[in-house]
Amino acid sequence: METILLIAHTEPDGSLPLSACEALAAAKAVAGQLPGSSLIAALIGEQVQAGADGIANCGAQRILAVLGPDFAQARYATDAAAAEALCRSSQATLVFAPATSRMNRMLPGVAQRLGGRVDTHVTGVVTLNAAPAVNRWYYRQRMEAQLQRTQRPWVILVDPGSTAAWTGTPGTATVETVSVTLPSEARRTVVTGIRSPAADAQTIRPEAALLFVAGAGWTKKQADGQTHVPEAEKLIFGFLKAARASLGSSKSLVDLGGEGQAVLSFLSHLNQIGQTGSTPRHQKGLATCCHGEEPHTVGWRFINERRAVNLDPNCGWARGKADVLYVADAFAVVSKVNDLLAGNR
Amino acid sequence: MSVSYQIVVCGSIVPDPLQTLEPVIGSSGPALKNESMLPAVLDPWASHALYEAAHLAKAAPGTKVWLLSLGPKAKLQQVMMTVAQKVPFELIALDGPAGGFTEAAETAAALAEAIQSIPGLDRSRLLVFGGWESASRGAGSTMQMVGERLRIVDQFQGVDELKVNPDGSLEIFERIEGGRHQVSRCAGPPALLGWATGNLPEPKNNPQVGMTNMRTIMPALQKARPVTLPREGLTFASVVLPRQLRATRIVKDKSPDAIAQEIVDWLKQ
């Protein structure tokens, strides 16, 4: 019999992020499969009522909260103190949370405080032999494991996008406030702001329907023996604007920028996908001028529909990995795509 | 205000990313096929942490950098032959498993104990660095547990930039969602930073630095404390390679116009 706690932080307006509803769905599914289990929800934030109301009818027996101005900021010391208090108050044995940057930062430390264990980047939760089991990837998405633990509490951070979000009718929730007394050292760090990319900068945006992956081939010598980097930049920007796509890149292309070579000026490590970058979960992906074998292709393992434009029909990036491989010059194809998208608007 | 730091960089070894990896289930749980034969490198994010530590040390005279590494001693020795040529540091070696299927909490306990046993450790100058994740377990949880064991509550993950302000406070840029950075000001050490890629290129090999480092690396490897990580309470039901292979339709003979039209139609679906 498990006491299952969903723990999440609220947005500045008090509402819950989508990823919290995804973690809630995972927690509810496990609670439903383990007879005698109970589900409790717990929220952290400056204000939480809107978020609590949003999940008022999710089936949680209690909704706990640590709230106040001290908990508005995503700060390790205060977040960890809040999460620790909520876990202790609920006496949770299984703790589910969305794997946001805020939760990823502090929940492993909380597991340590509680004498428990933690698993991050969880992509699936099932029951196996009447006990919970989680799926997660190892070696940068190159192999998938299913594992179980006997230690409790077991903190499980569910990767955003890996499960459907819980949806239900909002209600009016009764929130039980858990008080936390912060030591003075908890305020040694102050969050002073958020630095956003420049307005015209392109990054990996999870909400976009399409991920456009730019490979190192864009910066290589073309058929005329010359590089055409400015033209490549123009084409890629034009495509991103017209298709409202998110921009990812291979490590090799990003690294060239760090080494001071003339490459696509707008790429940084934040665009990097793959083993040492991110693994986005867009519905569609279009890879252009990408090359490489298995280790390099993990960056679009979780893209549902994949197409590639590449001059090499045997390229390991696309063959067996993409649904369609167009053997063609990406400069010519993307230019035509941009014309068509511009004409259709 | 001039401050010198004691920077401990936690970083272990991972298989060279270009190697083909295959899991095997042995009597003691999962591992990689031919794991001991695979060429290894210092974990990419830990490498960034090491380079950032060296960069900070250069700017703050009197700063000392340790590289604390848990891995099979023979493999550590191989990897250090290369790493030692990059930046100055003193190695603290722990002889134990470094694979992805080890338990983060147990690794954290071993690392924290090693940090606490550094002679002359001064918490008021202590910065603990490491990668925010590894290329093996990829959990992003070990550093936080090390910090908890050291009672460090100023922790930052996914760090891309660290600036030291004139008053000695630290300005830290952490990656958050949407390609943004959260900017925090921390009063000063002790603090723990899990580095993402940072902004520094990989330093060129410097044989002189390598020779200086190797004077301390070899003794450190010889006296590396054995560490066992029993994976207590952890059971792997399965470890598999993804078998999904797509039936790729290869389009060779279409004009750019026709391909573009097909892509646009697909985008609209």
Short mmCIF file of all heavy atoms in Angstrom, two decimals, chain A residues 187-192, chain B residues 154 156 165 167 169-172 183-188:
data_model
loop_
_atom_site.label_atom_id
_atom_site.label_comp_id
_atom_site.label_asym_id
_atom_site.label_seq_id
_atom_site.Cartn_x
_atom_site.Cartn_y
_atom_site.Cartn_z
N ARG A 187 18.20 32.19 2.38
CA ARG A 187 18.00 33.38 1.54
C ARG A 187 19.34 33.95 1.05
O ARG A 187 19.39 35.10 0.64
CB ARG A 187 17.22 34.44 2.31
CG ARG A 187 15.81 33.99 2.71
CD ARG A 187 15.02 35.11 3.36
NE ARG A 187 13.72 34.67 3.82
CZ ARG A 187 13.46 34.15 5.03
NH1 ARG A 187 14.45 34.02 5.91
NH2 ARG A 187 12.24 33.78 5.38
N ARG A 188 20.40 33.17 1.14
CA ARG A 188 21.70 33.66 0.64
C ARG A 188 21.70 33.84 -0.87
O ARG A 188 22.48 34.59 -1.41
CB ARG A 188 22.80 32.65 1.01
CG ARG A 188 23.39 32.84 2.40
CD ARG A 188 24.36 31.72 2.79
NE ARG A 188 25.03 31.09 1.68
CZ ARG A 188 26.26 31.37 1.26
NH1 ARG A 188 26.96 32.31 1.88
NH2 ARG A 188 26.79 30.71 0.26
N THR A 189 20.82 33.11 -1.52
CA THR A 189 20.70 33.25 -2.98
C THR A 189 19.43 34.00 -3.32
O THR A 189 18.37 33.73 -2.73
CB THR A 189 20.69 31.86 -3.65
OG1 THR A 189 21.99 31.28 -3.52
CG2 THR A 189 20.33 31.96 -5.12
N VAL A 190 19.55 34.93 -4.25
CA VAL A 190 18.38 35.69 -4.72
C VAL A 190 18.30 35.54 -6.23
O VAL A 190 19.30 35.74 -6.93
CB VAL A 190 18.50 37.18 -4.35
CG1 VAL A 190 17.30 37.97 -4.87
CG2 VAL A 190 18.64 37.35 -2.84
N VAL A 191 17.13 35.18 -6.70
CA VAL A 191 16.94 35.12 -8.16
C VAL A 191 16.70 36.56 -8.63
O VAL A 191 15.75 37.21 -8.20
CB VAL A 191 15.76 34.21 -8.54
CG1 VAL A 191 15.54 34.23 -10.05
CG2 VAL A 191 16.00 32.79 -8.05
N THR A 192 17.58 37.03 -9.50
CA THR A 192 17.50 38.44 -9.89
C THR A 192 16.80 38.64 -11.24
O THR A 192 16.48 39.76 -11.61
CB THR A 192 18.91 39.06 -9.98
OG1 THR A 192 19.71 38.28 -10.87
CG2 THR A 192 19.56 39.08 -8.61
N ASP B 154 23.11 26.23 -1.31
CA ASP B 154 23.12 27.10 -2.48
C ASP B 154 23.59 26.26 -3.65
O ASP B 154 24.79 26.08 -3.87
CB ASP B 154 24.03 28.32 -2.24
CG ASP B 154 23.43 29.23 -1.19
OD1 ASP B 154 22.37 29.81 -1.47
OD2 ASP B 154 23.99 29.32 -0.08
N PHE B 156 22.99 25.01 -7.82
CA PHE B 156 22.58 25.50 -9.14
C PHE B 156 22.84 24.39 -10.15
O PHE B 156 23.88 23.74 -10.10
CB PHE B 156 23.36 26.76 -9.51
CG PHE B 156 23.31 27.82 -8.42
CD1 PHE B 156 24.24 27.81 -7.38
CD2 PHE B 156 22.30 28.76 -8.40
CE1 PHE B 156 24.18 28.75 -6.36
CE2 PHE B 156 22.22 29.70 -7.38
CZ PHE B 156 23.16 29.69 -6.36
N ASN B 165 31.22 38.89 -8.70
CA ASN B 165 30.98 40.33 -8.58
C ASN B 165 32.06 40.98 -7.72
O ASN B 165 32.75 40.30 -6.94
CB ASN B 165 29.60 40.58 -7.96
CG ASN B 165 28.49 40.16 -8.90
OD1 ASN B 165 28.60 40.31 -10.11
ND2 ASN B 165 27.42 39.61 -8.34
N ASP B 167 31.89 42.55 -5.05
CA ASP B 167 31.69 42.34 -3.61
C ASP B 167 31.89 40.87 -3.21
O ASP B 167 31.66 40.51 -2.05
CB ASP B 167 30.30 42.82 -3.19
CG ASP B 167 29.18 42.01 -3.85
OD1 ASP B 167 29.49 41.14 -4.69
OD2 ASP B 167 28.01 42.27 -3.53
N SER B 169 30.21 38.32 -4.30
CA SER B 169 29.03 37.49 -4.57
C SER B 169 29.16 36.85 -5.95
O SER B 169 29.93 37.31 -6.80
CB SER B 169 27.75 38.31 -4.46
OG SER B 169 27.71 39.30 -5.46
N LEU B 170 28.39 35.80 -6.15
CA LEU B 170 28.47 35.04 -7.40
C LEU B 170 27.21 35.26 -8.21
O LEU B 170 26.10 35.17 -7.67
CB LEU B 170 28.62 33.54 -7.10
CG LEU B 170 29.76 33.15 -6.15
CD1 LEU B 170 29.66 31.66 -5.81
CD2 LEU B 170 31.11 33.46 -6.79
N GLU B 171 27.37 35.56 -9.48
CA GLU B 171 26.22 35.68 -10.37
C GLU B 171 26.21 34.45 -11.26
O GLU B 171 27.20 34.16 -11.95
CB GLU B 171 26.33 36.96 -11.19
CG GLU B 171 25.02 37.35 -11.81
CD GLU B 171 25.08 38.78 -12.35
OE1 GLU B 171 25.90 39.57 -11.86
OE2 GLU B 171 24.30 39.07 -13.26
N ILE B 172 25.11 33.74 -11.23
CA ILE B 172 25.06 32.42 -11.86
C ILE B 172 23.91 32.34 -12.84
O ILE B 172 22.79 32.76 -12.53
CB ILE B 172 24.92 31.33 -10.77
CG1 ILE B 172 26.17 31.33 -9.88
CG2 ILE B 172 24.73 29.95 -11.39
CD1 ILE B 172 25.99 30.75 -8.53
N VAL B 183 18.84 33.93 -13.72
CA VAL B 183 20.02 34.61 -13.18
C VAL B 183 19.85 34.72 -11.67
O VAL B 183 18.84 35.24 -11.19
CB VAL B 183 20.18 36.01 -13.80
CG1 VAL B 183 21.50 36.63 -13.36
CG2 VAL B 183 20.10 35.95 -15.32
N SER B 184 20.83 34.23 -10.92
CA SER B 184 20.78 34.29 -9.46
C SER B 184 22.04 34.95 -8.93
O SER B 184 23.10 34.87 -9.54
CB SER B 184 20.68 32.88 -8.86
OG SER B 184 19.53 32.22 -9.32
N ARG B 185 21.88 35.59 -7.78
CA ARG B 185 23.05 36.13 -7.09
C ARG B 185 23.18 35.38 -5.77
O ARG B 185 22.26 35.38 -4.96
CB ARG B 185 22.90 37.63 -6.86
CG ARG B 185 24.22 38.28 -6.41
CD ARG B 185 24.10 39.78 -6.20
NE ARG B 185 23.13 40.12 -5.17
CZ ARG B 185 21.98 40.74 -5.37
NH1 ARG B 185 21.62 41.10 -6.58
NH2 ARG B 185 21.16 41.00 -4.38
N CYS B 186 24.32 34.75 -5.59
CA CYS B 186 24.58 33.97 -4.38
C CYS B 186 25.62 34.73 -3.55
O CYS B 186 26.59 35.27 -4.10
CB CYS B 186 25.10 32.58 -4.76
SG CYS B 186 25.63 31.59 -3.36
N ALA B 187 25.41 34.77 -2.24
CA ALA B 187 26.28 35.58 -1.38
C ALA B 187 27.74 35.16 -1.49
O ALA B 187 28.64 35.98 -1.30
CB ALA B 187 25.81 35.47 0.07
N GLY B 188 28.00 33.91 -1.82
CA GLY B 188 29.38 33.44 -1.96
C GLY B 188 29.48 31.98 -1.55
O GLY B 188 28.48 31.32 -1.31
#
